[in-house]
Amino acid sequence: MSSRKEAASSTNGTSGTEFHVQGVPISHIAEEFGTPVFVYDAEELRSVYQSLRDRLHPAVDVFFSLKANPNISITSRLGSLGAGAEISSMVELMTVTRAGIAPDDIIFLGPGKTRAELEACVAAGVYAIVCESLDEVAEIEEIAAATGRDEVPVLLRVNPDFHTKGSGLTMGGKPRQFGIDADILRRSRGLLDRLRRVRVRGFHAYMGTRFLGAEDLAHNTRQILALADELAQALGIELETVDFGGGFGVAYFDNEKDLDLRATVAGINEVVEPFAAAHPRCRLINELGRYLTATCGTYVVRARYVKESMGERFVVADGGTNHHMAAVGVGSFVKRNFPIRSLTRYDDEPTGTYTVTGPLCTPNDVIGKKVVLPPVQAGDLLGVERSGAYGPTASPGLFLGHGFPAEVLVHNGTAHLVRERDRKEELLTKQRLIDFD
Ligand SMILES: *Cc1c(COP(=O)(O)O)cnc(C)c1O
């Protein structure tokens, strides 16, 4: 967040009070690329990654979960800084390959991988396919045999039998479609011993997303490493890799506080240190999506109308939940607001409350309820901050045929288009008009 503030204040007095990204005024970006638009600050992206990397134990590799933001330029930037990739679809595999991430730094997971995806992973020689069931392991053995491959590396995703706390959305430790129950794994030695072409490198566990407590994350890591040790012994596997997940959160709502990175990493390092000493050749993986990309992104919309209804003031903007579904409250039916700012009057004092809505014909198209803002006029730019994760790709972009917005990445003081806005014609090409006569 700090780079943004500096950018705004460093240009104060010369360009007024509008929001800047690396010195580029937001009005210029909006004019050149149109609105709605997602604007990413590559310097913020770098600094978030780098401050994590600089602190984290050297035995731990950071992998970027593309699910949070699959843009190829974002991926490539993180890759060039040293991040690996955690992916879950054929398109994501194509993305990371084109973004220049080495196969040895790619893992592929997901509960319902297709045969074609498994075959592509084997052919690409990814670092590991993360298996979510024993049937999947058997299928990979079959593919390896059919294609004459040996030593196809996999990680077994374990659904741990311990509970977790502090997550906004838990993914393990209860009945889930993900992974293999720890208890089932403990009884699977015979089956795993019969594998001829698949090599089990170790284990993967992911407890959930949006953790904001340093202690919860250290606690999870400790439990996962201990479980990996126990399972490796039970199954007679030499641990080459443990992916202990991640789920680092960022604060979105008033009642939340950002993760204390220093304390979080110190807690994780403390757990990792003895483990790494006992397993000097074991690669540890910390996979992160939201934490790496959320703060670098702003969803920029233009106010079309400002109106009043029964005593409540509304800003009707040109974009809404069709591009930013998360703004209606992540994993929650209680609507809480993401940080929303006037980008046109970035430094002005808030003076009134506005409910910010989009262009959709549904009352649910609200990106911020009773947001406190400086005076808003039609034509002003508003920004939903911390929107670099789970934005367009996690939103119903085709609803009402608006299509997906442009995405712009500001790098070294220059704004680059990194995704074109959907074209109207494009949105219709896949439909077929049949002849009714
Ligand atoms: C979604 C997901 C991630 C990324 O989660 P974040 O909370 O965005 O970091 C990582 N691993 C798995 C298995 C996931 O499902």
Side-chain angles (χ1 to χ4, degrees), residues 74-410:
I74 296 268
T75 302
S76 157
R77 185 64 187 127
L78 286 170
S80 71
L81 292 168
E86 177 261 296
I87 56 171
S88 300
S89 72
M90 196 71 98
V91 169
E92 288 187 352
L93 178 59
M94 291 159 73
T95 305
V96 295
T97 304
R98 288 179 198 182
I101 295 183
D104 213 38
D105 292 320
I106 299 170
I107 60 171
F108 193 116
L109 64 79
K113 301 177 197 74
T114 63
R115 177 88 179 193
E117 285 167 346
L118 292 174
E119 286 169 353
C121 285
V122 171
V126 300
Y127 181 72
I129 302 172
V130 181
C131 294
E132 311 239 6
S133 69
L134 293 170
D135 285 348
E136 190 179 305
V137 179
E139 194 171 351
I140 296 169
E141 175 87 4
E142 212 180 282
I143 291 170
T147 53
R149 306 243 175 186
D150 283 313
E151 306 267 297
V152 176
V154 305
L155 293 176
L156 302 177
R157 179 170 181 178
V158 48
N159 181 16
D161 35 19
F162 52 81
H163 296 291
T164 186
K165 56 183 172 60
S167 165
L169 180 69
T170 51
M171 306 274 285
K174 49 157 93 178
R176 281 290 189 232
Q177 70 269 48
F178 309 112
I180 308 164
D181 286 1
D183 232 21
I184 295 177
L185 274 180
R186 288 188 187 98
R187 289 183 268 115
S188 302
R189 177 156 188 172
L191 195 144
L192 295 173
D193 278 349
R194 285 193 294 278
L195 296 172
R196 288 290 159 267
R197 294 169 178 270
V198 168
R199 191 170 89 249
V200 178
R201 286 202 136 131
F203 302 95
H204 168 284
Y206 175 76
M207 299 308 293
T209 186
R210 300 199 64 233
F211 285 97
L212 290 170
E215 276 151 41
D216 297 332
L217 286 163
H219 174 80
N220 283 343
T221 308
R222 176 179 298 111
Q223 303 242 65
I224 291 166
L225 294 180
L227 179 60
D229 241 343
E230 182 224 311
L231 289 174
Q233 285 188 17
L235 300 175
I237 290 166
E238 196 189 332
L239 276 185
E240 259 177 68
T241 311
V242 180
D243 181 332
F244 58 81
F248 290 19
V250 299
Y252 292 123
F253 311 123
D254 279 348
N255 59 340
E256 292 178 333
K257 263 188 70 184
D258 265 331
L259 194 66
D260 180 341
L261 183 70
R262 209 175 286 266
T264 299
V265 176
I268 289 176
N269 287 349
E270 202 180 301
V271 173
V272 162
E273 181 57 42
F275 184 90
H279 305 272
R281 280 185 309 280
C282 185
R283 182 184 200 180
L284 294 171
I285 296 175
N286 186 197
E287 61 189 34
L288 298 169
R290 186 186 316 273
Y291 182 78
L292 294 178
T293 62
T295 57
C296 81
T298 306
Y299 177 46
V300 181
V301 297
R302 197 181 283 284
R304 292 280 297 127
Y305 302 100
V306 179
K307 66 195 277 189
E308 219 175 282
S309 166
M310 302 194 176
E312 192 168 333
R313 246 180 324 177
F314 288 83
V315 177
V316 183
D318 58 3
T321 53
N322 50 324
H323 302 149
H324 201 320
M325 197 63 182
V328 303
V330 183
S332 161
F333 292 104
V334 184
K335 288 198 176 141
R336 295 177 292 179
N337 291 336
F338 264 56
I340 299 180
R341 299 277 298 263
S342 166
L343 303 181
T344 300
R345 276 169 258 279
Y346 197 65
D347 288 338
D348 288 9
E349 287 301 315
T351 53
T353 58
Y354 299 86
T355 290
V356 183
T357 66
L360 308 180
C361 304
T362 155
N364 296 329
D365 188 20
V366 174
I367 46 178
K369 227 174 162 38
K370 297 192 175 153
V371 187
V372 189
L373 293 168
V376 181
Q377 290 164 12
D380 283 1
L381 296 170
L382 300 182
V384 187
E385 300 187 309
R386 313 199 133 202
S387 296
Y390 302 105
T393 61
S395 301
L398 297 179
F399 199 37
L400 274 85
H402 288 287
F404 287 93
E407 293 175 83
V408 168
L409 179 74
V410 183

